[in-house]
PDB file of all heavy atoms in Angstrom:
ATOM      1  N   ARG A1408      -0.319  -3.062  -1.894  1.00 95.00           N
ATOM      2  CA  ARG A1408      -0.256  -1.608  -2.010  1.00 95.00           C
ATOM      3  C   ARG A1408      -0.198  -1.188  -3.471  1.00 95.00           C
ATOM      4  O   ARG A1408       0.445  -1.837  -4.294  1.00 95.00           O
ATOM      5  CB  ARG A1408       0.982  -1.079  -1.289  1.00 95.00           C
ATOM      6  CG  ARG A1408       0.945  -1.335   0.180  1.00 95.00           C
ATOM      7  CD  ARG A1408       2.066  -0.576   0.877  1.00 95.00           C
ATOM      8  NE  ARG A1408       2.134  -0.993   2.253  1.00 95.00           N
ATOM      9  CZ  ARG A1408       3.115  -1.685   2.780  1.00 95.00           C
ATOM     10  NH1 ARG A1408       4.146  -2.034   2.040  1.00 95.00           N
ATOM     11  NH2 ARG A1408       3.079  -2.031   4.044  1.00 95.00           N
ATOM     12  N   PHE A1409      -0.854  -0.056  -3.750  1.00 96.00           N
ATOM     13  CA  PHE A1409      -0.850   0.534  -5.081  1.00 96.00           C
ATOM     14  C   PHE A1409      -0.292   1.944  -4.962  1.00 96.00           C
ATOM     15  O   PHE A1409      -0.821   2.767  -4.212  1.00 96.00           O
ATOM     16  CB  PHE A1409      -2.268   0.574  -5.664  1.00 96.00           C
ATOM     17  CG  PHE A1409      -2.901  -0.785  -5.760  1.00 96.00           C
ATOM     18  CD1 PHE A1409      -3.758  -1.229  -4.765  1.00 96.00           C
ATOM     19  CD2 PHE A1409      -2.623  -1.615  -6.823  1.00 96.00           C
ATOM     20  CE1 PHE A1409      -4.335  -2.483  -4.840  1.00 96.00           C
ATOM     21  CE2 PHE A1409      -3.185  -2.875  -6.905  1.00 96.00           C
ATOM     22  CZ  PHE A1409      -4.051  -3.315  -5.911  1.00 96.00           C
ATOM     23  N   ASP A1410       0.773   2.221  -5.694  1.00 95.00           N
ATOM     24  CA  ASP A1410       1.395   3.544  -5.646  1.00 95.00           C
ATOM     25  C   ASP A1410       0.492   4.577  -6.306  1.00 95.00           C
ATOM     26  O   ASP A1410       0.074   4.407  -7.455  1.00 95.00           O
ATOM     27  CB  ASP A1410       2.749   3.533  -6.347  1.00 95.00           C
ATOM     28  CG  ASP A1410       3.799   2.750  -5.590  1.00 95.00           C
ATOM     29  OD1 ASP A1410       3.637   2.583  -4.362  1.00 95.00           O
ATOM     30  OD2 ASP A1410       4.786   2.322  -6.219  1.00 95.00           O
ATOM     31  N   LEU A1411       0.230   5.659  -5.584  1.00 96.00           N
ATOM     32  CA  LEU A1411      -0.497   6.795  -6.133  1.00 96.00           C
ATOM     33  C   LEU A1411       0.472   7.861  -6.629  1.00 96.00           C
ATOM     34  O   LEU A1411       0.144   8.627  -7.516  1.00 96.00           O
ATOM     35  CB  LEU A1411      -1.440   7.382  -5.078  1.00 96.00           C
ATOM     36  CG  LEU A1411      -2.481   6.415  -4.512  1.00 96.00           C
ATOM     37  CD1 LEU A1411      -3.277   7.078  -3.394  1.00 96.00           C
ATOM     38  CD2 LEU A1411      -3.406   5.920  -5.609  1.00 96.00           C
ATOM     39  N   SER A1412       1.660   7.914  -6.019  1.00 94.00           N
ATOM     40  CA  SER A1412       2.752   8.792  -6.435  1.00 94.00           C
ATOM     41  C   SER A1412       4.040   8.178  -5.892  1.00 94.00           C
ATOM     42  O   SER A1412       4.025   7.081  -5.351  1.00 94.00           O
ATOM     43  CB  SER A1412       2.550  10.216  -5.898  1.00 94.00           C
ATOM     44  OG  SER A1412       2.728  10.256  -4.496  1.00 94.00           O
ATOM     45  N   GLU A1413       5.153   8.886  -6.004  1.00 92.00           N
ATOM     46  CA  GLU A1413       6.424   8.364  -5.489  1.00 92.00           C
ATOM     47  C   GLU A1413       6.430   8.248  -3.974  1.00 92.00           C
ATOM     48  O   GLU A1413       7.167   7.441  -3.419  1.00 92.00           O
ATOM     49  CB  GLU A1413       7.589   9.244  -5.939  1.00 92.00           C
ATOM     50  CG  GLU A1413       7.961   9.069  -7.375  1.00 92.00           C
ATOM     51  CD  GLU A1413       9.237   9.807  -7.716  1.00 92.00           C
ATOM     52  OE1 GLU A1413      10.054  10.051  -6.822  1.00 92.00           O
ATOM     53  OE2 GLU A1413       9.399  10.136  -8.901  1.00 92.00           O
ATOM     54  N   THR A1414       5.635   9.048  -3.296  1.00 94.00           N
ATOM     55  CA  THR A1414       5.658   9.060  -1.833  1.00 94.00           C
ATOM     56  C   THR A1414       4.356   8.613  -1.186  1.00 94.00           C
ATOM     57  O   THR A1414       4.279   8.504   0.031  1.00 94.00           O
ATOM     58  CB  THR A1414       5.986  10.471  -1.310  1.00 94.00           C
ATOM     59  OG1 THR A1414       4.994  11.379  -1.783  1.00 94.00           O
ATOM     60  CG2 THR A1414       7.359  10.910  -1.766  1.00 94.00           C
ATOM     61  N   LEU A1415       3.310   8.332  -1.951  1.00 97.00           N
ATOM     62  CA  LEU A1415       1.999   8.007  -1.398  1.00 97.00           C
ATOM     63  C   LEU A1415       1.471   6.718  -2.001  1.00 97.00           C
ATOM     64  O   LEU A1415       1.599   6.488  -3.207  1.00 97.00           O
ATOM     65  CB  LEU A1415       1.028   9.164  -1.699  1.00 97.00           C
ATOM     66  CG  LEU A1415      -0.342   9.114  -1.060  1.00 97.00           C
ATOM     67  CD1 LEU A1415      -0.242   9.257   0.460  1.00 97.00           C
ATOM     68  CD2 LEU A1415      -1.213  10.228  -1.622  1.00 97.00           C
ATOM     69  N   ASP A1416       0.873   5.860  -1.160  1.00 97.00           N
ATOM     70  CA  ASP A1416       0.265   4.635  -1.668  1.00 97.00           C
ATOM     71  C   ASP A1416      -1.025   4.336  -0.924  1.00 97.00           C
ATOM     72  O   ASP A1416      -1.272   4.853   0.160  1.00 97.00           O
ATOM     73  CB  ASP A1416       1.229   3.448  -1.594  1.00 97.00           C
ATOM     74  CG  ASP A1416       1.610   3.038  -0.181  1.00 97.00           C
ATOM     75  OD1 ASP A1416       0.718   2.834   0.654  1.00 97.00           O
ATOM     76  OD2 ASP A1416       2.813   2.913   0.080  1.00 97.00           O
ATOM     77  N   PHE A1417      -1.853   3.514  -1.529  1.00 97.00           N
ATOM     78  CA  PHE A1417      -3.097   3.039  -0.939  1.00 97.00           C
ATOM     79  C   PHE A1417      -3.046   1.526  -0.945  1.00 97.00           C
ATOM     80  O   PHE A1417      -2.538   0.929  -1.888  1.00 97.00           O
ATOM     81  CB  PHE A1417      -4.310   3.524  -1.757  1.00 97.00           C
ATOM     82  CG  PHE A1417      -5.600   2.919  -1.291  1.00 97.00           C
ATOM     83  CD1 PHE A1417      -6.229   3.406  -0.166  1.00 97.00           C
ATOM     84  CD2 PHE A1417      -6.165   1.861  -1.962  1.00 97.00           C
ATOM     85  CE1 PHE A1417      -7.415   2.842   0.290  1.00 97.00           C
ATOM     86  CE2 PHE A1417      -7.347   1.285  -1.529  1.00 97.00           C
ATOM     87  CZ  PHE A1417      -7.973   1.781  -0.399  1.00 97.00           C
ATOM     88  N   GLY A1418      -3.567   0.898   0.103  1.00 96.00           N
ATOM     89  CA  GLY A1418      -3.498  -0.551   0.127  1.00 96.00           C
ATOM     90  C   GLY A1418      -4.519  -1.197   1.030  1.00 96.00           C
ATOM     91  O   GLY A1418      -5.348  -0.537   1.656  1.00 96.00           O
ATOM     92  N   LEU A1419      -4.425  -2.511   1.091  1.00 96.00           N
ATOM     93  CA  LEU A1419      -5.234  -3.337   1.974  1.00 96.00           C
ATOM     94  C   LEU A1419      -4.293  -4.215   2.774  1.00 96.00           C
ATOM     95  O   LEU A1419      -3.321  -4.753   2.227  1.00 96.00           O
ATOM     96  CB  LEU A1419      -6.198  -4.204   1.173  1.00 96.00           C
ATOM     97  CG  LEU A1419      -7.259  -3.470   0.362  1.00 96.00           C
ATOM     98  CD1 LEU A1419      -8.005  -4.446  -0.528  1.00 96.00           C
ATOM     99  CD2 LEU A1419      -8.227  -2.743   1.272  1.00 96.00           C
ATOM    100  N   ALA A1420      -4.582  -4.344   4.060  1.00 93.00           N
ATOM    101  CA  ALA A1420      -3.773  -5.195   4.933  1.00 93.00           C
ATOM    102  C   ALA A1420      -4.671  -6.261   5.529  1.00 93.00           C
ATOM    103  O   ALA A1420      -5.827  -5.998   5.867  1.00 93.00           O
ATOM    104  CB  ALA A1420      -3.127  -4.370   6.038  1.00 93.00           C
ATOM    105  N   GLY A1421      -4.156  -7.458   5.666  1.00 93.00           N
ATOM    106  CA  GLY A1421      -4.931  -8.544   6.255  1.00 93.00           C
ATOM    107  C   GLY A1421      -4.045  -9.467   7.065  1.00 93.00           C
ATOM    108  O   GLY A1421      -2.879  -9.674   6.741  1.00 93.00           O
ATOM    109  N   THR A1422      -4.603  -9.998   8.137  1.00 90.00           N
ATOM    110  CA  THR A1422      -3.883 -10.921   9.006  1.00 90.00           C
ATOM    111  C   THR A1422      -4.838 -12.012   9.454  1.00 90.00           C
ATOM    112  O   THR A1422      -6.011 -11.739   9.729  1.00 90.00           O
ATOM    113  CB  THR A1422      -3.344 -10.192  10.258  1.00 90.00           C
ATOM    114  OG1 THR A1422      -2.566  -9.082   9.847  1.00 90.00           O
ATOM    115  CG2 THR A1422      -2.479 -11.103  11.107  1.00 90.00           C
ATOM    116  N   VAL A1423      -4.341 -13.232   9.529  1.00 91.00           N
ATOM    117  CA  VAL A1423      -5.122 -14.336  10.075  1.00 91.00           C
ATOM    118  C   VAL A1423      -4.277 -15.045  11.127  1.00 91.00           C
ATOM    119  O   VAL A1423      -3.088 -15.237  10.950  1.00 91.00           O
ATOM    120  CB  VAL A1423      -5.593 -15.316   8.968  1.00 91.00           C
ATOM    121  CG1 VAL A1423      -4.417 -15.960   8.250  1.00 91.00           C
ATOM    122  CG2 VAL A1423      -6.523 -16.369   9.525  1.00 91.00           C
ATOM    123  N   ARG A1424      -4.917 -15.372  12.244  1.00 88.00           N
ATOM    124  CA  ARG A1424      -4.252 -16.114  13.318  1.00 88.00           C
ATOM    125  C   ARG A1424      -4.914 -17.474  13.426  1.00 88.00           C
ATOM    126  O   ARG A1424      -6.130 -17.590  13.506  1.00 88.00           O
ATOM    127  CB  ARG A1424      -4.383 -15.387  14.649  1.00 88.00           C
ATOM    128  CG  ARG A1424      -3.737 -16.168  15.803  1.00 88.00           C
ATOM    129  CD  ARG A1424      -4.034 -15.545  17.133  1.00 88.00           C
ATOM    130  NE  ARG A1424      -5.476 -15.656  17.399  1.00 88.00           N
ATOM    131  CZ  ARG A1424      -6.081 -15.057  18.401  1.00 88.00           C
ATOM    132  NH1 ARG A1424      -5.412 -14.275  19.212  1.00 88.00           N
ATOM    133  NH2 ARG A1424      -7.374 -15.210  18.584  1.00 88.00           N
ATOM    134  N   GLN A1425      -4.080 -18.513  13.439  1.00 88.00           N
ATOM    135  CA  GLN A1425      -4.560 -19.885  13.572  1.00 88.00           C
ATOM    136  C   GLN A1425      -4.104 -20.409  14.925  1.00 88.00           C
ATOM    137  O   GLN A1425      -2.920 -20.356  15.246  1.00 88.00           O
ATOM    138  CB  GLN A1425      -3.987 -20.759  12.457  1.00 88.00           C
ATOM    139  CG  GLN A1425      -4.284 -22.219  12.626  1.00 88.00           C
ATOM    140  CD  GLN A1425      -3.430 -23.076  11.719  1.00 88.00           C
ATOM    141  OE1 GLN A1425      -2.412 -22.644  11.211  1.00 88.00           O
ATOM    142  NE2 GLN A1425      -3.842 -24.312  11.541  1.00 88.00           N
ATOM    143  N   ASN A1426      -5.034 -20.875  15.720  1.00 83.00           N
ATOM    144  CA  ASN A1426      -4.675 -21.460  17.003  1.00 83.00           C
ATOM    145  C   ASN A1426      -4.096 -22.849  16.801  1.00 83.00           C
ATOM    146  O   ASN A1426      -4.361 -23.498  15.792  1.00 83.00           O
ATOM    147  CB  ASN A1426      -5.895 -21.533  17.920  1.00 83.00           C
ATOM    148  CG  ASN A1426      -6.270 -20.171  18.464  1.00 83.00           C
ATOM    149  OD1 ASN A1426      -5.509 -19.221  18.368  1.00 83.00           O
ATOM    150  ND2 ASN A1426      -7.459 -20.086  19.030  1.00 83.00           N
ATOM    151  N   PRO A1427      -3.301 -23.331  17.759  1.00 79.00           N
ATOM    152  CA  PRO A1427      -2.739 -24.680  17.639  1.00 79.00           C
ATOM    153  C   PRO A1427      -3.838 -25.711  17.382  1.00 79.00           C
ATOM    154  O   PRO A1427      -4.900 -25.663  17.971  1.00 79.00           O
ATOM    155  CB  PRO A1427      -2.064 -24.915  18.991  1.00 79.00           C
ATOM    156  CG  PRO A1427      -1.738 -23.546  19.487  1.00 79.00           C
ATOM    157  CD  PRO A1427      -2.857 -22.675  18.992  1.00 79.00           C
ATOM    158  N   GLY A1428      -3.575 -26.604  16.474  1.00 78.00           N
ATOM    159  CA  GLY A1428      -4.554 -27.605  16.094  1.00 78.00           C
ATOM    160  C   GLY A1428      -5.392 -27.183  14.902  1.00 78.00           C
ATOM    161  O   GLY A1428      -6.087 -27.996  14.307  1.00 78.00           O
ATOM    162  N   GLY A1429      -5.338 -25.903  14.537  1.00 72.00           N
ATOM    163  CA  GLY A1429      -6.022 -25.425  13.352  1.00 72.00           C
ATOM    164  C   GLY A1429      -7.533 -25.383  13.446  1.00 72.00           C
ATOM    165  O   GLY A1429      -8.224 -25.370  12.444  1.00 72.00           O
ATOM    166  N   ARG A1430      -8.095 -25.362  14.643  1.00 82.00           N
ATOM    167  CA  ARG A1430      -9.551 -25.396  14.785  1.00 82.00           C
ATOM    168  C   ARG A1430     -10.179 -24.031  15.035  1.00 82.00           C
ATOM    169  O   ARG A1430     -11.387 -23.891  14.986  1.00 82.00           O
ATOM    170  CB  ARG A1430      -9.937 -26.354  15.893  1.00 82.00           C
ATOM    171  CG  ARG A1430      -9.463 -27.761  15.631  1.00 82.00           C
ATOM    172  CD  ARG A1430     -10.347 -28.756  16.328  1.00 82.00           C
ATOM    173  NE  ARG A1430      -9.856 -30.099  16.135  1.00 82.00           N
ATOM    174  CZ  ARG A1430     -10.269 -30.895  15.167  1.00 82.00           C
ATOM    175  NH1 ARG A1430     -11.156 -30.480  14.304  1.00 82.00           N
ATOM    176  NH2 ARG A1430      -9.794 -32.113  15.065  1.00 82.00           N
ATOM    177  N   ALA A1431      -9.373 -23.014  15.328  1.00 87.00           N
ATOM    178  CA  ALA A1431      -9.915 -21.677  15.591  1.00 87.00           C
ATOM    179  C   ALA A1431      -9.082 -20.642  14.835  1.00 87.00           C
ATOM    180  O   ALA A1431      -7.854 -20.711  14.831  1.00 87.00           O
ATOM    181  CB  ALA A1431      -9.907 -21.380  17.087  1.00 87.00           C
ATOM    182  N   TYR A1432      -9.769 -19.690  14.233  1.00 89.00           N
ATOM    183  CA  TYR A1432      -9.116 -18.650  13.462  1.00 89.00           C
ATOM    184  C   TYR A1432      -9.621 -17.278  13.915  1.00 89.00           C
ATOM    185  O   TYR A1432     -10.764 -17.136  14.338  1.00 89.00           O
ATOM    186  CB  TYR A1432      -9.407 -18.804  11.961  1.00 89.00           C
ATOM    187  CG  TYR A1432      -8.828 -20.044  11.365  1.00 89.00           C
ATOM    188  CD1 TYR A1432      -9.547 -21.223  11.332  1.00 89.00           C
ATOM    189  CD2 TYR A1432      -7.553 -20.039  10.828  1.00 89.00           C
ATOM    190  CE1 TYR A1432      -9.017 -22.377  10.783  1.00 89.00           C
ATOM    191  CE2 TYR A1432      -7.002 -21.187  10.270  1.00 89.00           C
ATOM    192  CZ  TYR A1432      -7.747 -22.343  10.251  1.00 89.00           C
ATOM    193  OH  TYR A1432      -7.212 -23.477   9.707  1.00 89.00           O
ATOM    194  N   ALA A1433      -8.774 -16.273  13.801  1.00 89.00           N
ATOM    195  CA  ALA A1433      -9.156 -14.889  14.045  1.00 89.00           C
ATOM    196  C   ALA A1433      -8.629 -14.062  12.873  1.00 89.00           C
ATOM    197  O   ALA A1433      -7.560 -14.353  12.335  1.00 89.00           O
ATOM    198  CB  ALA A1433      -8.569 -14.384  15.359  1.00 89.00           C
ATOM    199  N   TRP A1434      -9.376 -13.037  12.474  1.00 90.00           N
ATOM    200  CA  TRP A1434      -9.055 -12.244  11.291  1.00 90.00           C
ATOM    201  C   TRP A1434      -8.941 -10.773  11.637  1.00 90.00           C
ATOM    202  O   TRP A1434      -9.606 -10.290  12.545  1.00 90.00           O
ATOM    203  CB  TRP A1434     -10.158 -12.379  10.247  1.00 90.00           C
ATOM    204  CG  TRP A1434     -10.485 -13.771   9.866  1.00 90.00           C
ATOM    205  CD1 TRP A1434     -11.366 -14.601  10.500  1.00 90.00           C
ATOM    206  CD2 TRP A1434      -9.951 -14.521   8.801  1.00 90.00           C
ATOM    207  NE1 TRP A1434     -11.405 -15.815   9.881  1.00 90.00           N
ATOM    208  CE2 TRP A1434     -10.541 -15.800   8.821  1.00 90.00           C
ATOM    209  CE3 TRP A1434      -9.021 -14.239   7.803  1.00 90.00           C
ATOM    210  CZ2 TRP A1434     -10.236 -16.771   7.896  1.00 90.00           C
ATOM    211  CZ3 TRP A1434      -8.723 -15.227   6.887  1.00 90.00           C
ATOM    212  CH2 TRP A1434      -9.321 -16.464   6.929  1.00 90.00           C
ATOM    213  N   SER A1435      -8.128 -10.064  10.890  1.00 92.00           N
ATOM    214  CA  SER A1435      -8.123  -8.602  10.933  1.00 92.00           C
ATOM    215  C   SER A1435      -7.820  -8.104   9.531  1.00 92.00           C
ATOM    216  O   SER A1435      -7.146  -8.783   8.753  1.00 92.00           O
ATOM    217  CB  SER A1435      -7.096  -8.062  11.931  1.00 92.00           C
ATOM    218  OG  SER A1435      -5.786  -8.203  11.438  1.00 92.00           O
ATOM    219  N   GLY A1436      -8.319  -6.933   9.219  1.00 93.00           N
ATOM    220  CA  GLY A1436      -8.034  -6.390   7.902  1.00 93.00           C
ATOM    221  C   GLY A1436      -8.773  -5.108   7.627  1.00 93.00           C
ATOM    222  O   GLY A1436      -9.795  -4.817   8.257  1.00 93.00           O
ATOM    223  N   GLY A1437      -8.212  -4.348   6.700  1.00 94.00           N
ATOM    224  CA  GLY A1437      -8.831  -3.101   6.295  1.00 94.00           C
ATOM    225  C   GLY A1437      -7.915  -2.290   5.407  1.00 94.00           C
ATOM    226  O   GLY A1437      -6.807  -2.708   5.065  1.00 94.00           O
ATOM    227  N   PRO A1438      -8.357  -1.085   5.043  1.00 96.00           N
ATOM    228  CA  PRO A1438      -7.592  -0.226   4.143  1.00 96.00           C
ATOM    229  C   PRO A1438      -6.459   0.504   4.862  1.00 96.00           C
ATOM    230  O   PRO A1438      -6.519   0.745   6.071  1.00 96.00           O
ATOM    231  CB  PRO A1438      -8.630   0.765   3.637  1.00 96.00           C
ATOM    232  CG  PRO A1438      -9.620   0.850   4.748  1.00 96.00           C
ATOM    233  CD  PRO A1438      -9.666  -0.523   5.368  1.00 96.00           C
ATOM    234  N   THR A1439      -5.413   0.851   4.104  1.00 95.00           N
ATOM    235  CA  THR A1439      -4.292   1.623   4.633  1.00 95.00           C
ATOM    236  C   THR A1439      -3.903   2.711   3.630  1.00 95.00           C
ATOM    237  O   THR A1439      -4.118   2.571   2.429  1.00 95.00           O
ATOM    238  CB  THR A1439      -3.050   0.752   4.896  1.00 95.00           C
ATOM    239  OG1 THR A1439      -2.599   0.189   3.670  1.00 95.00           O
ATOM    240  CG2 THR A1439      -3.330  -0.346   5.899  1.00 95.00           C
ATOM    241  N   LEU A1440      -3.328   3.768   4.164  1.00 97.00           N
ATOM    242  CA  LEU A1440      -2.770   4.845   3.356  1.00 97.00           C
ATOM    243  C   LEU A1440      -1.342   5.031   3.828  1.00 97.00           C
ATOM    244  O   LEU A1440      -1.103   5.212   5.023  1.00 97.00           O
ATOM    245  CB  LEU A1440      -3.581   6.128   3.539  1.00 97.00           C
ATOM    246  CG  LEU A1440      -3.259   7.289   2.614  1.00 97.00           C
ATOM    247  CD1 LEU A1440      -3.553   6.916   1.168  1.00 97.00           C
ATOM    248  CD2 LEU A1440      -4.067   8.501   2.999  1.00 97.00           C
ATOM    249  N   GLY A1441      -0.377   4.939   2.908  1.00 96.00           N
ATOM    250  CA  GLY A1441       1.033   5.017   3.277  1.00 96.00           C
ATOM    251  C   GLY A1441       1.704   6.248   2.720  1.00 96.00           C
ATOM    252  O   GLY A1441       1.393   6.702   1.624  1.00 96.00           O
ATOM    253  N   LEU A1442       2.635   6.783   3.498  1.00 96.00           N
ATOM    254  CA  LEU A1442       3.378   7.976   3.115  1.00 96.00           C
ATOM    255  C   LEU A1442       4.848   7.750   3.415  1.00 96.00           C
ATOM    256  O   LEU A1442       5.202   7.281   4.495  1.00 96.00           O
ATOM    257  CB  LEU A1442       2.864   9.188   3.900  1.00 96.00           C
ATOM    258  CG  LEU A1442       3.603  10.501   3.699  1.00 96.00           C
ATOM    259  CD1 LEU A1442       3.395  11.012   2.280  1.00 96.00           C
ATOM    260  CD2 LEU A1442       3.126  11.524   4.705  1.00 96.00           C
ATOM    261  N   SER A1443       5.704   8.083   2.453  1.00 95.00           N
ATOM    262  CA  SER A1443       7.143   8.011   2.643  1.00 95.00           C
ATOM    263  C   SER A1443       7.707   9.424   2.490  1.00 95.00           C
ATOM    264  O   SER A1443       8.084   9.835   1.396  1.00 95.00           O
ATOM    265  CB  SER A1443       7.769   7.064   1.609  1.00 95.00           C
ATOM    266  OG  SER A1443       9.143   6.934   1.829  1.00 95.00           O
ATOM    267  N   PRO A1444       7.771  10.186   3.599  1.00 92.00           N
ATOM    268  CA  PRO A1444       8.174  11.590   3.502  1.00 92.00           C
ATOM    269  C   PRO A1444       9.643  11.803   3.156  1.00 92.00           C
ATOM    270  O   PRO A1444      10.001  12.850   2.639  1.00 92.00           O
ATOM    271  CB  PRO A1444       7.855  12.158   4.879  1.00 92.00           C
ATOM    272  CG  PRO A1444       7.858  10.988   5.787  1.00 92.00           C
ATOM    273  CD  PRO A1444       7.444   9.816   4.956  1.00 92.00           C
ATOM    274  N   MET A1445      10.501  10.821   3.446  1.00 88.00           N
ATOM    275  CA  MET A1445      11.923  10.895   3.083  1.00 88.00           C
ATOM    276  C   MET A1445      12.465   9.484   2.968  1.00 88.00           C
ATOM    277  O   MET A1445      11.788   8.525   3.322  1.00 88.00           O
ATOM    278  CB  MET A1445      12.705  11.723   4.103  1.00 88.00           C
ATOM    279  CG  MET A1445      12.664  11.218   5.496  1.00 88.00           C
ATOM    280  SD  MET A1445      13.472  12.398   6.579  1.00 88.00           S
ATOM    281  CE  MET A1445      12.679  11.991   8.100  1.00 88.00           C
ATOM    282  N   ASN A1446      13.682   9.356   2.460  1.00 86.00           N
ATOM    283  CA  ASN A1446      14.289   8.035   2.279  1.00 86.00           C
ATOM    284  C   ASN A1446      14.289   7.250   3.584  1.00 86.00           C
ATOM    285  O   ASN A1446      14.545   7.800   4.649  1.00 86.00           O
ATOM    286  CB  ASN A1446      15.719   8.158   1.770  1.00 86.00           C
ATOM    287  CG  ASN A1446      15.775   8.534   0.316  1.00 86.00           C
ATOM    288  OD1 ASN A1446      14.799   8.361  -0.417  1.00 86.00           O
ATOM    289  ND2 ASN A1446      16.902   9.053  -0.125  1.00 86.00           N
ATOM    290  N   ASN A1447      14.022   5.965   3.474  1.00 86.00           N
ATOM    291  CA  ASN A1447      14.090   5.009   4.579  1.00 86.00           C
ATOM    292  C   ASN A1447      13.086   5.264   5.694  1.00 86.00           C
ATOM    293  O   ASN A1447      13.289   4.849   6.826  1.00 86.00           O
ATOM    294  CB  ASN A1447      15.511   4.951   5.154  1.00 86.00           C
ATOM    295  CG  ASN A1447      16.518   4.529   4.112  1.00 86.00           C
ATOM    296  OD1 ASN A1447      16.226   3.700   3.250  1.00 86.00           O
ATOM    297  ND2 ASN A1447      17.699   5.101   4.159  1.00 86.00           N
TER     298      ASN A1447
END
């Protein structure tokens, strides 16, 4: 994630799943936009 301001960020998310034995993989990923409207 890259902060654009104190409450807004832009980023990339990615996930990889490995099946038992390590012979098959699945992927997901893409852009994200994050907002923190208040603490926590």
